[in-house]
Amino acid sequence: MCGIVGAISKNRNVLPILITGLKNLEYRGYDSSGVAYLKNNKINIVKTSGKIINLENKLNKSDESNIGIAHTRWATHGKANSINAHPHRVNHITLVHNGIIENYEELKEMLIDNNYSFKSSTDTEVATALLDYYYEKFNDIDKAISEFMKKVIGSYAITMIVDNDLDSLYVLKKESPLVIGISDNANVVASDIRAVLKYTNKYYILDDFEYAKVSSNEVIIKDIKGDILKKELHAINVEDNDISKNEYKHYMLKEIMEQKSTILKTVKPYIEKGIDSLLILPDLTKYKEISIIGCGTAYHAGLVAKYLFEEVTNTRCNVYLASEYRYQNSFLSKDTLTIFISQSGETADTISSLKLVKSKNCPTLGIINVENSTISLLVDKCLYTKAGVEIAVASTKAYTAQVALLSILALSHGLRNKTIKEDDVLKVIEEFNNIEKLITTLLNNKDMYLTIAKKLYKEEDIFYIGRGLDYYLSMEGALKLKEISYIHSESYAAGELKHGTISLIKKNTPVLASATNNKLNAKTISNLKEVMARGASVYLITNTNYKDNTFTIVNIPKSSDFLKALLVIIPYQLIAYYTALLKGTDIDKPKNLAKSVTVE
Ligand code: F6R
């Protein structure tokens, strides 16, 4: 969603840092952008709607500055236009903001009573005015920030310039990520360190209710009381965070292809020494049951884990959507381990659910891709997926890394609770060691996916069905297709069709299914025949030898339960990709979507 970059230097022009930083954050989703910098001792603000190129075109090419802040906005309060775009300026304060000020209406009324007026419909302009109000009142920026933090309800990462202190950036944080990168040339603030990796890989992380004064040669971090804090300096590995697209037309295709190595990279530490390394994973036998929480694709990865924990290791496992979990009776107990799955580690609903579980002192585990992200730091224990940076909005390699790690966790649990024999565990380890070959074969089946995509891309409604694990995979298959091709696609449990959905089937309606479970395959195939009898065109992904000229069949290799999800999803991902390619959509940045959903 929104992105922040700020930079300050003694002798360097920071405008290129701001613009490159914004471009690196583009993938997160935005609909307007803006920048503020010091020009002739005054704050100059340039804002536009649309792409960053519009902002660049509006900037005076010869301008240079040693201090500036910049922002990409994903509209929440008010339309995506240049008035609502950040930075906002009220009297002495100019700022950019990520997050949502929940009590902004009440604050706005108070500020209007105190003679403030507003140009935009944003909560951010209210935050700017509130900081100015306290700054005027106390004539002290520390006090103003502290009062602001006490008064505001909601989330914020703020970077601001204060008129009477033009040698510093001020940054404030609550529930929205913000880091301060340090380098000899310039100090840079960003909502994601990877936006400014070209300039530095060393950074401080701000925690909630902390703020900092960042000047060109110093960073002073304080808590809400104004006490100076000593913080750890982190370093991020530049190679692992490579964001180049190489020869690929889209990041999504590059990331789909990378799965031949990211899956193994993720599980390797837990299989390289056979059974012994599996036992490095947390012991889950002390818990009666497992809860899993995530959003979107991460939730779908959780469903695969539910299948393995329940069907293979005989351990009860419930999976919840974070946006629902946070507002329902969660029946929390110390006997339940709650696992939080998130690529970004910054998803607002997942963070809130985590805080709820932690408030009851119940055990938590994270399956997270981004190191030092909010969730990874809050959970009791974090296991990292090794997918590398995922740029395309539609998640692919992060999903398979999550599924692989959860599968290995279930395998180690099955070994410990003796629901899986040691010999069978060794066979699964062997399969994972060979996964690169299996995935490569599937990735190379481009002609098949393209043939199917040609049949799908002009359709308006597509159905995905399956039973058991295959039902969970159909959910992820349908999500991939709808988010990047904008074709309405829905997933249904195959056995549910007759209870309503089958009325939607008409001549040529595409129905896609996977069938990888010997106990259920015949039933799914019957359901496919039923829709065919009503005119549907049918596509089947299967690891059986099933032959039927009236179906389009995608064959995948046979495997244990632990690899099935990984093998079924590759065809689904590539069918979605080629369908969107034929439709000509913006595959890496689909409309209305954001990579990291930092508001609820
Ligand atoms: C879909 C997709 C989203 C994310 C969801 C959670 O392709 O990427 O559904 O999975 O927004 O994001 P994270 O995993 O960052 O918590």
Side-chain angles (χ1 to χ4, degrees):
M1 282 185 155
C2 305
I4 288 179
V5 189
I8 183 161
S9 169
K10 206 162 198 60
N11 40 32
R12 173 178 187 154
N13 172 22
V14 299
L15 294 185
I17 302 180
L18 299 180
I19 298 298
T20 319
L22 285 190
K23 285 184 179 164
N24 289 339
L25 291 172
E26 260 190 301
Y27 75 98
R28 297 167 68 98
Y30 71 104
D31 31 44
S32 59
S33 62
V35 57
Y37 53 94
L38 197 63
K39 181 179 175 180
N40 303 328
N41 243 12
K42 277 202 177 130
I43 300 291
N44 185 38
I45 300 181
V46 184
K47 313 199 272 192
T48 65
S49 57
K51 299 281 173 195
I52 289 167
I53 185 80
N54 302 351
L55 182 69
E56 279 187 290
N57 290 340
K58 227 173 152 182
L59 278 173
N60 189 339
K61 300 272 174 301
S62 58
D63 278 1
E64 294 199 347
S65 182
N66 296 138
I67 177 169
I69 55 180
H71 192 257
T72 44
R73 172 175 186 258
W74 188 87
T76 56
H77 296 69
K79 285 192 178 143
N81 57 29
S82 58
I83 296 175
N84 291 331
H86 307 197
H88 286 279
R89 177 170 171 80
V90 178
N91 301 334
H92 303 93
I93 306 286
T94 310
L95 64 75
V96 292
H97 162 226
N98 285 357
I100 289 188
I101 310 294
E102 287 171 12
N103 55 341
Y104 83 103
E105 277 171 338
E106 167 202 321
L107 294 171
K108 195 170 182 174
E109 272 176 36
M110 181 279 279
L111 289 161
I112 290 171
D113 289 346
N114 282 279
N115 300 324
Y116 281 86
S117 59
F118 294 90
K119 298 187 202 90
S120 76
S121 359
T122 62
D123 53 333
T124 299
E125 195 183 10
V126 175
T128 319
L130 187 66
L131 277 157
D132 184 73
Y133 169 76
Y134 287 132
Y135 185 54
E136 283 277 337
K137 186 169 170 184
F138 300 117
N139 196 20
D140 179 321
I141 194 63
D142 290 291
K143 264 201 169 146
I145 291 174
S146 174
E147 280 309 303
F148 173 90
M149 287 180 155
K150 283 181 205 155
K151 192 83 185 165
V152 162
I153 300 171
S155 57
Y156 50 82
I158 286 175
T159 302
M160 71 176 171
I161 302 177
V162 181
D163 275 3
N164 298 339
D165 185 359
L166 294 170
D167 293 325
S168 311
L169 293 172
Y170 285 87
V171 293
L172 290 64
K173 190 228 170 224
K174 186 191 163 221
E175 290 174 12
S176 192
L178 200 65
V179 298
I180 303 165
I182 306 296
S183 84
D184 293 341
N185 269 327
N187 286 335
V188 285
V189 175
S191 46
D192 181 346
I193 185 65
R194 290 170 300 181
V196 290
L197 217 48
K198 188 170 160 198
Y199 306 99
T200 182
N201 73 331
K202 295 192 186 66
Y203 64 103
Y204 293 109
I205 299 171
L206 284 192
D207 289 320
D208 287 353
F209 296 109
E210 291 179 356
Y211 68 98
K213 174 179 171 152
V214 181
S215 48
S216 58
N217 56 359
E218 189 177 41
V219 175
I220 301 170
I221 302 177
K222 295 183 178 176
D223 64 15
I224 192 167
K225 297 193 288 282
D227 292 337
I228 295 182
L229 302 169
K230 208 163 163 36
K231 304 281 288 187
E232 185 188 343
L233 189 63
H234 298 271
I236 188 170
N237 182 329
V238 181
E239 260 170 43
D240 280 355
N241 288 282
D242 176 27
I243 50 174
S244 49
K245 207 185 319 178
N246 300 337
E247 75 274 20
Y248 291 99
K249 192 171 162 82
H250 293 105
Y251 277 108
M252 185 176 176
L253 184 60
K254 175 182 177 243
E255 289 161 6
I256 290 174
M257 294 299 166
E258 282 173 350
Q259 293 174 110
K260 53 180 167 241
S261 58
T262 48
I263 295 172
L264 186 57
K265 195 168 175 196
T266 297
V267 299
K268 200 156 183 204
Y270 313 112
I271 59 170
E272 61 192 348
K273 294 195 186 113
I275 301 260
D276 285 350
S277 36
L278 258 191
L279 297 174
I280 305 171
L281 285 161
D283 183 354
L284 310 187
T285 54
K286 53 184 173 217
Y287 306 109
K288 274 202 187 127
E289 62 179 72
I290 293 167
S291 281
I292 301 185
I293 295 174
C295 299
T297 286
Y299 167 75
H300 294 161
L303 290 171
V304 175
K306 172 185 170 71
Y307 169 79
L308 292 172
F309 279 122
E310 292 196 335
E311 302 306 316
V312 186
T313 75
N314 199 28
T315 304
R316 183 189 282 257
C317 175
N318 292 307
V319 188
Y320 302 95
L321 290 165
S323 54
E324 291 293 314
Y325 184 87
R326 61 185 290 192
Y327 296 116
Q328 70 192 37
N329 188 349
S330 45
F331 299 100
L332 279 161
S333 119
K334 298 218 168 39
D335 294 340
T336 301
L337 173 69
T338 309
I339 302 180
F340 293 84
I341 309 177
S342 176
Q343 186 284 126
S344 61
E346 302 296 350
T347 302
D349 286 320
T350 314
I351 294 174
S352 293
S353 301
L354 169 58
K355 286 185 175 166
L356 182 83
V357 176
K358 279 184 73 85
S359 71
K360 303 276 190 270
N361 289 322
C362 293
T364 59
L365 172 72
I367 303 285
I368 307 293
N369 197 44
V370 177
E371 273 180 49
N372 287 324
S373 54
T374 303
I375 299 177
S376 75
L377 298 174
L378 283 176
V379 283
D380 296 338
K381 170 142 187 79
C382 183
L383 299 174
Y384 284 109
T385 46
K386 299 285 175 195
V389 187
E390 193 177 63
I391 300 282
V393 165
S395 183
T396 53
K397 62 174 182 169
Y399 168 80
T400 47
Q402 288 159 354
V403 166
L405 189 45
L406 287 159
S407 303
I408 288 294
L409 189 60
L411 185 69
S412 104
H413 181 55
L415 177 70
R416 281 190 167 110
N417 78 357
K418 302 200 174 11
T419 47
I420 314 174
K421 289 194 213 101
E422 234 178 85
D423 278 358
D424 291 332
V425 170
L426 288 171
K427 278 187 205 145
V428 177
I429 292 179
E430 189 56 31
E431 279 186 323
F432 269 102
N433 278 321
N434 283 329
I435 192 131
E436 185 170 339
K437 219 165 99 202
L438 298 179
I439 299 282
T440 306
T441 319
L442 293 171
L443 292 172
N444 289 345
N445 203 2
K446 175 179 171 184
D447 290 347
M448 171 59 100
Y449 311 132
L450 206 50
T451 308
I452 297 175
K454 281 182 185 155
K455 301 255 176 58
L456 301 186
Y457 82 103
K458 288 191 181 147
E459 295 296 334
E460 287 181 356
D461 304 293
I462 300 181
F463 297 97
Y464 284 68
I465 63 169
R467 285 171 182 260
L469 176 66
D470 289 302
Y471 169 43
Y472 299 150
L473 298 171
S474 76
M475 290 177 170
E476 177 58 11
L479 179 67
K480 279 305 79 103
L481 187 81
K482 77 176 76 147
E483 62 186 332
I484 60 168
S485 73
Y486 314 150
I487 298 173
H488 169 239
S489 50
E490 290 306 334
S491 129
Y492 293 94
E496 270 295 297
L497 286 185
K498 286 198 278 286
H499 300 284
T501 311
I502 204 158
S503 67
L504 296 171
I505 303 294
K506 52 184 197 268
K507 191 165 183 302
N508 296 333
T509 305
V511 178
L512 282 76
S514 65
T516 59
N517 180 333
N518 284 341
K519 281 193 226 143
L520 301 172
N521 291 344
K523 293 180 193 300
T524 303
I525 287 167
S526 296
N527 297 134
L528 287 175
K529 298 246 181 209
E530 286 160 9
V531 290
M532 264 185 84
R534 285 150 184 90
S537 308
V538 168
Y539 305 84
L540 175 67
I541 299 170
T542 185
N543 60 2
T544 63
N545 298 325
Y546 182 73
K547 298 222 170 7
D548 188 327
N549 294 339
T550 56
F551 287 21
T552 302
I553 296 180
V554 179
N555 290 112
I556 60 167
K558 279 201 184 310
S559 71
S560 70
D561 279 334
F562 290 86
L563 266 77
K564 281 177 183 166
L566 299 169
L567 303 180
V568 168
I569 211 63
I570 303 280
Y572 273 152
Q573 290 172 346
L574 282 163
I575 289 168
Y577 174 79
Y578 287 114
T579 305
L581 190 69
L582 292 172
K583 274 203 84 175
T585 55
D586 189 354
I587 292 183
D588 284 336
K589 287 176 261 156
K591 66 175 156 62
N592 303 335
L593 293 179
K595 181 69 186 161
S596 177
V597 184
T598 48
V599 294
E600 76 169 289

